[in-house]
């Protein structure tokens, strides 16, 4: 019995370390991500927050989000069907591929709730910075060049 416990603790540890390694590798991969160059996406998705880079969410997340724009985090961000479709195509074509797997449930709608994101920011954000940003979705408050896809701060 005792042996089993020790064994499972060890393998739990190994798995955690592995997961942590993946998360860290993913975070540094995200120091620089391709900025949004599509004019339509820039125009329609920057009124209320910066235009988030599509690589931060998987394709299924963008599809879900674009089908529910009338209730977008409590706001009405509706667009005509043609515009929405064009934007969706861009987001899906540039979506992240390694952040999330089918079978993990509902596609995530928040970048800020992804595991790598939480892990990268845990213990890193001072209360002062948090107060200034207001919300973790306000990337630009802390990463000055966030809208250029640059999260590699000095
Ligand atoms: C009418 C205002 C408005 C428009 C237009 C808008 N959004 Fe948002 N969006 C919000 C609000 C409000 C939130 C929630 C912010 C928060 O909780 O801090 C949000 C959050 C998000 C998030 C999640 C951020 C996180 O927490 O990780 C994504 C992704 C997003 N929006 C994408 C889009 C895309 C893509 C478009 C263009 C199709 C768009 N938004 C247009 C208001 C808007
Ligand atoms: C309240 C401040 C704050 C907000 C808001 C914030 N971050 Fe960060 N972020 C940090 C700090 C501090 C770090 C860790 C130090 C560093 O590496 O720059 C970090 C690290 C990162 C990293 C890893 C960079 C690296 O060098 O490995 C990425 C990528 C990142 N943030 C993306 C985002 C995105 C995307 C958003 C918005 C959805 C966001 N952050 C919002 C403060 C913030």
């Amino acid at each position: 019995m005792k042996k089993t416990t020790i064994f499972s603790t060890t393998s739990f540890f190994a798995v955690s370390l592995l997961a942590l390694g993946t998360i860290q590798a993913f975070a540094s991969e995200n120091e620089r991500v391709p900025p949004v160059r599509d004019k339509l996406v820039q125009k329609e998705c920057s009124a209320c927050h910066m235009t988030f880079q599509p690589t931060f969410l998987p394709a299924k997340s963008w599809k879900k989000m674009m089908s529910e724009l009338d209730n977008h985090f409590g706001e009405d961000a509706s667009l005509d069907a043609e515009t929405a479709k064009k934007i969706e195509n861009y987001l899906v074509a540039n979506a992240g591929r390694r952040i999330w797997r089918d079978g993990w449930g509902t596609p995530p709608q928040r970048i800020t709730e992804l595991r790598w994101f939480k892990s990268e920011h845990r213990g890193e954000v001072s209360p002062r910075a948090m107060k200034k940003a207001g919300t973790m979705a306000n990337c630009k408050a802390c990463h000055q060049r966030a809208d250029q896809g640059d999260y590699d701060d000095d």
Side-chain angles (χ1 to χ4, degrees):
M1 192 61 195
K2 201 158 185 211
K3 261 204 175 119
T4 322
T5 317
I6 291 168
F7 174 73
S8 51
T9 312
T10 318
S11 40
F12 173 75
F13 222 75
V15 169
S16 308
L17 280 178
L18 214 82
L20 203 70
T22 313
I23 285 169
Q24 275 166 355
F26 194 78
S28 37
E29 220 171 80
N30 281 342
E31 279 175 20
R32 303 261 169 147
V33 300
V36 173
R37 300 219 184 272
D38 186 285
K39 291 270 179 310
L40 188 66
V41 182
Q42 270 171 357
K43 176 167 169 262
E44 301 295 351
C45 302
S46 64
C48 310
H49 46 66
M50 75 161 221
T51 316
F52 298 111
Q53 287 84 21
T55 189
F56 286 130
L57 285 177
K60 282 201 174 160
S61 296
W62 292 122
K63 283 186 188 155
K64 179 167 158 55
M65 191 178 293
M66 293 308 290
S67 71
E68 302 170 339
L69 282 182
D70 58 329
N71 185 5
H72 178 75
F73 303 90
E75 301 266 340
D76 185 353
S78 317
L79 294 167
D80 65 84
E82 195 190 332
T83 307
K85 191 69 205 165
K86 281 188 193 156
I87 293 175
E88 181 181 322
N89 289 345
Y90 178 85
L91 296 173
V92 166
N94 295 284
R97 295 183 207 287
R98 300 205 296 110
I99 332 166
W100 184 81
R101 287 195 194 119
D102 289 352
W104 283 5
T106 315
Q109 297 295 284
R110 284 187 180 273
I111 301 159
T112 51
E113 276 174 10
L114 296 173
R115 282 214 312 193
W116 76 265
F117 186 95
K118 289 201 206 160
S119 158
E120 187 61 36
H121 290 89
R122 193 172 297 131
E124 294 283 350
V125 176
S126 71
R128 199 163 143 256
M130 193 59 228
K131 202 172 160 208
K132 188 179 142 224
T135 149
M136 282 312 283
N138 188 5
C139 322
K140 264 199 92 166
C142 304
H143 303 282
Q144 284 179 35
R145 297 175 300 274
D147 54 356
Q148 292 147 52
D150 182 356
Y151 295 90
D152 182 15
D153 307 289
D154 346 286

